[in-house]
Structures are given as C-alpha cells and as structure tokens.
C-alpha cells in the first residue's frame, strides 16, 4: 500500500528553520519560544506552506515539476512584515536621483547629465540628499549655470512644488515597482503603507492587476488636516464605501490613520507629565482636540474601520487611548485592533487600558537610534523611550517598523537597534539596564508574527507553519544565534513570496 502525497511547487531542504510558530496571545503572555528545526524542510503549493519538518519529511512532496532549493548551511525565517512605513512615498523618492553619501561634486554633475540625456524634454529631474560637506573634490555649491536652478529653503521651494507637474501614471506605477524591489531585497514580503490618498490607492490596484506588486500591501487611508477640517474628515469617512479588510491576500485596506501630534525636535509633540526639557513651562499640544479625536475614532469604529494614531508625546498618547475607550462603548475595539504608531513615551498607567482594549504599538528602533533626539528628553524618558523590551515584559504587542523614507526600511538594522538600544549619533546606549532591550528572538517576533497582527494576518502570516503563506527568507549565516554585530553585515540571500522567489542576491 502506498500513500499519496501532493506534488509541491517548491521544496526547500536543509536550512535551520526559525518557525516563529507562536500566537500573538502567547507573546502577550510572555512566551517567546517556538520550534527551531535543524536540517529542516519546507514544502509549498499554491502559495501556501503544505509541510514543515525535517529535510527528509518533505522529500516525498518533490515531484517532476517541483522547484527544489538546497539551503544547506543557511537559515530560513518567515518573510519580514513591516507595520508602519510609507512605501509609496519612498518609491516616489526612488524615482529621483539619490545623492546620499555621494562624496564627489563631479559625480553629482555626471549623474544629472546622464539622467538628463535619458529624460524626455519637459520632464523634471529631481535629486536630493546631497551634503557638500563630504565632497572630496570641491565643497563649492553647484551653481545654476552648471545645473539649471537651485532652490533653498521652504519659501523658495513652495512655488517650485506648485509648478512641479504631477507624476504620470507610468511614474506612479514605477514607484511601486522600485519600492517592491527594495523591500524584497530586505526580506520584506508584507507592509502597512500609511498616509495614502485615493489616487495612490488606485495605483496600488493597478499595480496589482498588472502583476507588478511584489509585496502584500496593506493600505492606510489618511485623514489629513490638509484635506480639510475635522468635519470634512468625518464626512470623508462616511464617503468611503469599503472598510478595513476589503481586498485580498495581496492587497487590502488596513485602517484609518491620524497624526495626533508632531515631533519632539520641532516642539510639536504634545507632552503632559513633564514639560519639554529644553523649554521650561512648554508642553506642546495635539493637532485635534480631545472631542475631535474622540469623534473621529468613534465614527470610524462604528463604520468598522481599524484606527492607527501617530502619537509621540504622552499627552497625545493619553488622548488617543481616551478616544479608543470612548469607541469601545460602541463596539469592542479589540476586534478592530486599534493601535498607536511610535508610542515614544510609554508610561505604566497607560498599560492597563492598552491591555484591556488590546491596543498594540508599532515601533521604529532605527528611527530612535539614528535621529539623535536623546538630548531632548529627560533622563528617565530616554531609558524607556520607544522601548520594545518594556512592551514584551508588560503584555503589549510591539510590531517592528521603520517609518521609511525617514530611515532605511531594513528589518536587520531595526532588529539590531531593538536588541542593542544603541544611539548611533552618540555611540552610547539609550538604556542602561536590559529591561528596555529585546532578545534576538523577540526582535524576530517583532518583524514577523507581531507585525502581522496589525494587518489582521497573524493567523496566516509571520510564521512558517502548515497553512500559512509561503513567504520566507533565506540567509547565509545565522545572525540570530551569532554575534550581535552580524546584524550589520548579514544580507538576505533569497526572498520568497507565496512560494515564488522574488529576490536573489
Ligand atoms: Zn510615519
């Protein structure tokens, strides 16, 4: 008697597999261990994982048409999930020339000339990120005669931005292709794209139809004060015919996003427990009043929208949580998974509310480590500021993210900073104790299972288990068990989305 096995589309044999087979509820209860399989094997069919075990266990799924990857000496993780960044915006920037880190004046002139030669007449060429202080040949600013105009400062930029032609549909599509390639090169297979407008959402749909979308897009609709008053935004909510969850496995609506305060460096974050360290007596304020944010969240909740709120200062966090409590009277917000983005200043008295309502947080360790904001905070705030460790210890779900284009979307870098709490601008560690840091395993959970929670995908994404999406990454060395500095040098070798290889280094 013989047993019949389905023929897999893809079989990967011999990697060490970090399955991340753990539930979000278990993570909240403090559990962090999951099966790690030496000499493992994974079989995938129709985009899903159909078997996980040892290399021998999956042998029987290999058929005539199966693609077989020998991953001896490698590790395999779930595809990385990003829970707060601006994919479309980052992609639009990638259409421009990027002069970040360019150390020669001439190289910039050459790049502009080359791009000009390949750009149709009348189309704009944009470039940014240059720093004349690092040019080795000459630090003299490039002149109008050499380029064609050079505008500094906002006053000069505004008229230019108004005159700038809108992106063509082809450029819009290209921006999604470019960001898709970059995300795949970092092992990212799913992302929440915040701050989108209708046009950008339509472009996503078009990219999906044309088979150009290479990551699972979860789109956040932006209730921007720029689009009108608070009443206008309330009305816009009513106008949308679909809500959170509308879409399919590659593209769906996530939540509404509101920016409730600004940033600490600009004194636009809203503080309450302590005044600004560098401005005695000053606390800042939120963009919406308590009544307004309550009304927006309640209306969205009533309609079935998930809600994510940008909160940097503790006053902003408290107001967002108050709004969630009000909304909870209309329907249980735990089901909708309302969340806080950034959650810069965590305080103990907020945690019982967050646990009761199931409010998670999207953190950006790279942002914290590279922005140099440490001197702006009181010492006890620095210790805990955007701390992933405190969240794990106190039963609050923390997802990994970057806020790209502000910093690199690399999850490897994000995990490195979550583990070390290193402030890259000072070389010092933000947290003296271990309480604010996470272990490498917890960092992996942040960019897989936990991040998948925010797009309601944790039952089918963020782990390598039978039935989950066949989204996976392969690495040449085991940075998780290795030296912590390995995070800086290890690069993704292969990224697989739905059983298909999307990226190979
Ligand atoms: Zn953001």
């Amino acid at each position: 008697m013989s047993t019949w096995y389905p023929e897999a589309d893809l079989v990967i044999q011999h990697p060490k597999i970090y399955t991340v087979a753990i539930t979000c509820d278990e993570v909240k209860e403090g559990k962090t261990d999951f099966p790690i399989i030496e000499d493992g094997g994974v079989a995938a069919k129709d985009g899903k994982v159909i078997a996980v075990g040892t290399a021998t266990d999956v042998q029987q799924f290999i058929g005539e048409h199966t693609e077989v990857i020998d991953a001896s000496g490698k590790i395999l993780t779930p595809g990385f999930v990003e829970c707060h960044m601006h994919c479309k915006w980052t992609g639009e920037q990638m259409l421009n020339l990027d002069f970040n880190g360019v150390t020669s004046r001439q190289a910039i002139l050459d790049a502009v000339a080359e791009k000009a030669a390949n750009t149709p007449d009348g189309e704009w060429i944009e470039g940014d990120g240059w720093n004349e202080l690092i040019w080795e040949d000459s630090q003299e600013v490039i002149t109008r005669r050499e380029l064609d105009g050079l505008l500094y400062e906002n006053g000069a930029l505004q008229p230019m931005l108004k005159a700038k032609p809108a992106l063509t549909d082809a450029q819009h599509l290209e921006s999604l292709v470019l960001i898709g390639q970059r995300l795949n090169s970092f092992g990212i297979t799913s992302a929440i794209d915040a701050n989108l407008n209708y046009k950008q959402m339509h472009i996503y749909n078009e990219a999906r139809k044309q088979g150009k979308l290479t990551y699972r897009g979860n789109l956040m609709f932006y209730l921007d004060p720029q689009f009108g008053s608070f009443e206008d935004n309330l009305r816009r909510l009513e106008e949308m015919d679909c809500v959170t969850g509308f879409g399919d496995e590659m593209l769906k609506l996530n939540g509404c996003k509101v920016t409730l305060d600004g940033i600490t460096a600009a004194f636009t974050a809203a503080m309450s427990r302590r005044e600004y360290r560098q401005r005695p007596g000053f606390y800042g304020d939120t963009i919406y009043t308590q009544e307004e944010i309550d009304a927006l969240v309640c209306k969205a909740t009533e309609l079935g929208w998930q809600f994510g709120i940008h909160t940097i200062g503790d006053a902003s966090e408290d107001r967002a949580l108050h709004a969630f409590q009000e909304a909870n009277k209309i329907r249980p917000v735990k089901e909708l998974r309302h969340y806080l983005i950034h959650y810069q200043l965590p305080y103990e008295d907020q945690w019982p509310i967050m646990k009761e309502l199931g409010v998670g947080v999207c953190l950006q360790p790279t942002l914290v480590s590279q922005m140099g904001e440490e001197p702006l905070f009181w010492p006890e705030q620095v210790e805990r500021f955007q701390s992933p460790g405190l969240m794990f210890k106190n039963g609050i779900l923390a997802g990994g993210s970057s806020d790209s284009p502000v910093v690199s979307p690399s999850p490897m870098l994000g995990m490195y900073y979550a583990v070390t709490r290193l402030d890259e601008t000072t070389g010092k560690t933000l947290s003296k104790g271990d309480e604010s840091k996470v272990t490498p395993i917890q960092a992996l959970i942040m960019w897989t299972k936990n991040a998948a929670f925010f797009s309601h995908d944790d039952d089918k994404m963020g782990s390598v288990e039978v039935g989950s999406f066949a989204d996976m990454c392969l690495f040449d060395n085991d940075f998780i068990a290795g030296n912590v500095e390995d995070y800086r040098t290890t690069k993704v070798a292969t990224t697989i989305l739905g059983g298909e290889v999307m990226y190979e280094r």
Side-chain angles (χ1 to χ4, degrees):
M1 216 174 84
S2 72
T3 318
W4 180 84
Y5 292 99
E7 181 182 318
D9 299 325
L10 174 73
V11 164
I12 303 173
Q13 286 182 302
H14 309 298
K16 175 180 178 181
I17 304 176
Y18 285 89
T19 62
V20 198
I22 186 171
T23 67
C24 288
D25 282 336
E26 288 172 332
V27 173
K28 286 196 245 179
E29 285 157 15
K31 188 176 175 222
T32 53
D33 57 318
F34 50 75
I36 297 169
I37 310 168
E38 302 281 350
D39 195 24
V42 181
K45 188 175 173 61
D46 300 329
K48 303 265 170 64
V49 172
I50 56 166
V52 189
T54 64
T56 345
D57 289 340
V58 297
Q59 181 71 34
Q60 59 239 19
F61 296 96
I62 299 176
E64 203 185 331
H65 307 288
T66 306
E67 180 185 353
V68 181
I69 297 177
D70 179 357
S72 304
K74 298 187 182 193
I75 67 159
L76 184 147
T77 68
F80 292 138
V81 184
E82 217 316 332
C83 61
H84 178 78
M85 68 171 283
H86 308 278
C87 313
K88 183 69 175 71
W89 178 18
T90 310
E92 288 172 17
Q93 286 202 351
M94 290 175 74
L95 295 169
N96 301 340
L97 292 167
D98 178 11
F99 299 132
N100 261 302
V102 176
T103 56
S104 138
R105 186 177 190 274
Q106 191 56 47
I108 291 180
L109 288 171
D110 291 347
V112 174
E114 191 195 326
K115 179 99 176 169
N118 297 312
T119 304
D121 277 355
E123 263 183 40
W124 286 43
I125 298 168
E126 289 180 71
D128 41 45
W130 73 84
N131 178 2
E132 64 268 24
L133 301 177
I134 61 167
W135 293 347
E136 283 158 3
D137 42 355
S138 156
Q139 297 190 348
E140 221 171 290
V141 174
I142 292 170
T143 64
R144 187 164 76 143
R145 241 173 305 149
E146 291 167 288
L147 286 178
D148 188 11
L150 175 64
L151 303 163
Y152 279 113
E153 307 290 327
N154 233 357
L157 282 171
Q158 282 312 318
M160 184 199 81
L161 290 176
K162 277 199 187 121
K164 186 183 143 181
L167 293 183
T168 63
D169 281 2
Q171 285 171 319
H172 269 302
L173 275 173
E174 178 66 8
S175 70
L176 282 180
V177 171
L178 290 173
I179 187 59
Q181 288 166 350
R182 179 174 287 182
L183 295 183
N184 294 159
S185 78
F186 286 128
I188 295 171
T189 49
S190 179
I192 294 180
D193 192 346
N195 298 32
L196 295 174
N197 57 36
Y198 293 127
K199 172 74 186 176
Q200 291 167 321
M201 289 176 159
H202 282 292
I203 295 294
Y204 256 105
N205 201 31
E206 194 55 34
R208 159 109 175 90
K209 275 197 289 195
Q210 295 187 23
K212 289 180 172 169
L213 194 59
T214 60
Y215 57 96
R216 302 182 195 278
N218 294 282
L219 314 185
M220 271 195 118
F221 180 57
Y222 194 31
L223 297 174
D224 188 342
Q226 279 184 33
F227 297 145
S229 66
F230 139 78
E231 286 85 4
D232 289 334
N233 273 322
L234 264 186
R235 205 167 37 246
R236 293 172 74 227
L237 270 178
E238 296 262 27
E239 282 168 6
M240 288 281 277
D241 291 329
C242 38
V243 294
T244 301
F246 181 82
D248 60 27
E249 292 177 351
M250 275 304 285
L251 185 61
K252 66 180 185 302
L253 278 179
N254 178 245
C256 289
K257 155 106 190 273
V258 153
T259 303
L260 192 50
D261 65 348
I263 57 168
T264 313
F267 300 101
T268 48
M271 309 292 181
S272 62
R273 287 169 188 75
R274 292 205 72 172
E275 63 197 350
Y276 270 90
R277 187 177 178 184
Q278 293 177 332
R279 267 210 202 173
F282 185 75
Y283 288 85
D285 203 358
T286 50
I287 292 168
Y288 289 112
T289 64
Q290 184 69 67
E291 291 68 33
E292 287 171 340
I293 190 65
D294 286 356
L296 278 175
V297 175
C298 285
K299 172 55 76 183
T301 302
E302 186 191 316
L303 295 169
W305 279 99
Q306 185 179 9
F307 218 99
I309 305 186
H310 163 116
T311 58
I312 293 280
D314 55 333
S316 170
E317 295 157 5
D318 290 335
R319 286 189 176 169
L321 291 177
H322 183 274
F324 292 164
Q325 284 177 305
E326 287 303 301
N328 198 49
K329 294 173 186 166
I330 297 168
R331 70 193 270 177
V333 298
K334 211 169 197 166
E335 292 164 14
L336 295 172
R337 303 189 178 182
H338 292 350
Y339 60 103
L340 300 181
I341 299 162
H342 309 306
Y343 194 44
Q344 191 98 305
L345 292 174
Y347 283 98
E348 279 82 350
D349 56 329
Q350 297 165 333
W351 302 340
I353 304 170
M354 294 167 75
K355 285 168 82 164
E356 189 204 329
L357 303 182
V359 173
V361 296
C362 294
L363 302 179
Q364 300 82 31
T366 305
L367 192 70
V368 168
S369 296
Q370 295 188 348
M371 293 305 278
E373 288 194 326
E374 186 245 313
L376 305 175
F377 292 98
W378 298 99
E380 85 276 5
Q381 291 176 330
V382 172
E383 180 71 27
R384 57 176 49 209
F385 114 82
Q386 268 214 36
S387 157
L390 281 180
M391 299 298 97
F392 273 89
K393 284 175 190 76
N394 290 285
I396 294 159
L397 215 69
S401 59
S402 65
D403 212 4
S404 165
V406 186
V407 293
S408 163
S410 164
M412 298 297 291
L413 215 50
M415 288 190 273
Y416 173 73
Y417 292 123
V419 170
T420 61
R421 293 281 283 168
L422 172 76
D423 185 329
E424 199 70 78
T425 63
T426 60
K428 288 189 286 188
T429 308
L430 289 166
S431 311
K432 288 176 209 79
D434 282 340
E435 213 191 22
S436 290
K437 301 172 184 169
V438 293
T439 64
I441 288 291
Q442 287 171 326
L444 178 65
I445 292 173
M446 283 178 74
W447 265 269
T448 52
K449 190 53 79 180
N450 277 12
F453 174 85
F454 295 91
S455 59
H456 294 259
D457 285 321
D458 51 305
D459 57 340
K460 50 191 170 296
M461 200 166 80
S463 55
V464 182
E465 293 176 87
V466 171
S468 68
F469 294 150
D471 300 352
M472 297 169 277
C473 298
L474 288 169
F475 297 85
D476 291 331
N477 77 315
D478 188 356
F479 63 91
I480 299 165
N483 184 300
V484 72
E485 293 303 315
D486 289 354
Y487 280 100
R488 284 187 184 272
T489 49
T490 304
K491 291 193 166 53
V492 177
T494 309
T495 303
I496 295 158
L497 174 80
E500 264 181 68
V501 174
M502 285 291 154
Y503 169 82
E504 238 170 333
R505 186 156 44 80

